[in-house]
Amino acid sequence: LTWKSPIRKNYGVAYGDKGLLEILDGDVALETPQGGRQVFQTGEKLSGGSAHPTWMAGLLADFAAELDDTSRRSENFREALACAVLTRQGYKSAKTGRPQKTAAVA
């Protein structure tokens, strides 16, 4: 693995019964079984670097707000748990070659 390539892009696809998510470096596209397609711009490309300053600034602000406002406690934990569950199910799907059911966790 090297950073010497003149081009860097990240791409990924996740699909299930209710649609398909396509990660297109700086955008995420959502396609529905009915043929609808919606593209969300993330504001920065995943291939732009590992620090992701735009994302990190919002994350830190949310974390500070959660510390200050007790009614928001556990929001970050629930989001991290959802990410861990989805990652685990993604690896399981890749290993078995079959889609994995995932209950709502967030």
Side-chain angles (χ1 to χ4, degrees):
L1 182 60
T2 179
W3 293 97
K4 294 180 182 180
S5 173
I7 298 171
R8 290 184 58 210
K9 293 184 180 181
N10 288 347
Y11 177 80
V13 176
Y15 62 91
D17 296 341
K18 296 184 181 182
L20 175 138
L21 282 175
E22 186 175 21
I23 301 165
L24 307 161
D25 206 19
D27 298 330
V28 176
L30 171 63
E31 293 184 17
T32 64
Q34 297 77 25
R37 181 176 173 90
Q38 191 172 4
V39 178
F40 304 90
Q41 296 180 336
T42 63
E44 63 181 305
K45 293 183 177 185
L46 293 171
S47 63
S50 60
H52 307 293
T54 303
W55 171 78
M56 184 61 83
L59 177 95
L60 292 175
D62 284 348
F63 181 71
E66 190 170 323
L67 292 176
D68 291 337
D69 181 356
T70 57
S71 70
R72 292 186 59 182
R73 295 275 163 90
S74 299
E75 286 180 12
N76 280 296
F77 176 76
R78 285 192 300 273
E79 185 174 340
L81 177 61
C83 291
V85 168
L86 291 172
T87 299
R88 182 190 65 207
Q89 294 301 81
Y91 278 114
K92 192 172 180 181
S93 177
K95 185 176 181 178
T96 64
R98 295 188 314 267
Q100 301 296 309
K101 297 278 184 192
T102 301
V105 292

